[in-house]
Amino acid sequence: MFVHVETRRRRHVQWATVLLVVVCVISFVGLALMPAPERTSMWLEWGTVPANIFDPKAPLLPQLHDPSLLRLFTALFIHLAWLHLLGNLLFLVIFGLPAERALGSFRFLLLFVVGGMVANLVGALSLVGVRSPIIGCSGAVSAVLGTYIALFPRARLGLVLPLGFYLEFVRVPAFLLIGIWILLQLLFSYVGPSYGAVVWWTHIAGFLFGLVFALFSRDAIARRLRG
């Protein structure tokens, strides 16, 4: 799959998407090289474990100042398996590069980090008391997808389908593939052996955050494209 983006007079170096991919891969490899008990401890220590962040019997607002909320950020760069990592990074690259080109690298990085943290926060609030960690950048990627569909609502993606010994090239609306991705994320949340009951609200919250982020960034994007 690929995304066609119109060329512009001024070219800007796009580094945020590449940086995020590199950090996620390095983090995954580092954890994979650890012994299994240490790796599990790292997941629990730096992942977003709702039971370790929020006390359902205490007032919510004071808890939002707890330094343990840093785990909403660190959880973005922890992945359980190669399939988990590659699925997220594939969609991050496909949709992130054109979104970064429109937003600019710093604003795109802000979208990924803040969108991912908000998504993890909503996921943790929806699972208060659960001791399974919310890990991975699915919520952040959902935010990128939400912004992409808001910026390029009529975009069509080229898709190569294997049909026996032949490859068929078709063009499909971007929102159709995004919809399929969301449905797959919901499916994994319910039936995936490694995901269990965790995080479908995280994906929805990230996607909605991306839509809102794009709407509030319209003026800045227009100025950037004119420049």
Side-chain angles (χ1 to χ4, degrees):
M1 292 185 292
F2 64 88
V3 177
H4 173 73
V5 179
E6 296 294 335
T7 58
R8 295 174 176 81
R9 291 174 297 175
R10 294 176 57 187
R11 294 187 178 275
H12 301 271
V13 177
Q14 295 174 240
W15 50 266
T17 302
V18 175
L19 175 64
L20 292 170
V21 169
V22 170
V23 171
C24 286
V25 171
I26 290 176
S27 174
F28 179 82
V29 172
L31 288 171
L33 294 176
M34 291 181 177
E38 293 183 19
R39 184 165 60 248
T40 302
S41 296
M42 290 293 289
W43 290 342
L44 294 173
E45 176 66 23
W46 296 107
T48 302
V49 180
N52 295 345
I53 293 182
F54 294 113
D55 181 357
K57 299 179 181 179
L60 175 61
L61 290 180
Q63 297 185 73
L64 294 179
H65 299 284
D66 192 327
S68 66
L69 291 182
L70 176 65
R71 290 162 177 77
L72 299 175
F73 170 75
T74 56
L76 298 176
F77 304 100
I78 301 174
H79 290 82
L80 192 65
W82 274 110
L83 183 61
H84 186 200
L85 174 69
L86 293 177
N88 281 337
L89 296 189
L90 175 64
F91 278 86
L92 174 60
V93 170
I94 291 172
F95 295 99
L97 288 174
E100 181 183 352
R101 186 172 298 176
L103 292 169
S105 295
F106 285 105
R107 190 173 287 107
F108 177 80
L109 190 62
L110 182 68
L111 163 67
F112 182 92
V113 171
V114 178
M117 292 180 66
V118 169
N120 284 346
L121 175 62
V122 172
L125 288 173
S126 69
L127 296 168
V128 170
V130 172
R131 297 192 177 277
S132 299
I134 298 173
I135 56 177
C137 61
S138 298
V141 173
S142 295
V144 172
L145 298 184
T147 293
Y148 178 92
I149 204 63
L151 296 178
F152 311 108
R154 300 175 185 172
R156 300 178 70 86
L157 302 180
L159 180 64
V160 178
L161 299 176
L163 299 176
F165 293 102
Y166 301 95
L167 296 176
E168 182 70 21
F169 178 83
V170 296
R171 296 185 68 84
V172 298
F175 68 81
L176 177 61
L177 291 182
I178 291 176
I180 292 173
W181 184 82
I182 293 173
L183 291 176
L184 288 175
Q185 295 296 320
L186 294 176
L187 179 64
F188 289 151
S189 296
Y190 280 109
V191 304
S194 299
Y195 298 89
V198 180
V199 305
W200 69 279
W201 271 111
T202 301
H203 304 127
I204 294 175
F207 189 82
L208 293 177
F209 179 91
L211 291 174
V212 174
F213 187 91
L215 292 176
F216 278 94
S217 301
R218 286 180 300 178
D219 293 340
I221 294 171
R223 290 193 300 270
R224 176 179 173 80
L225 296 181
R226 284 197 301 266

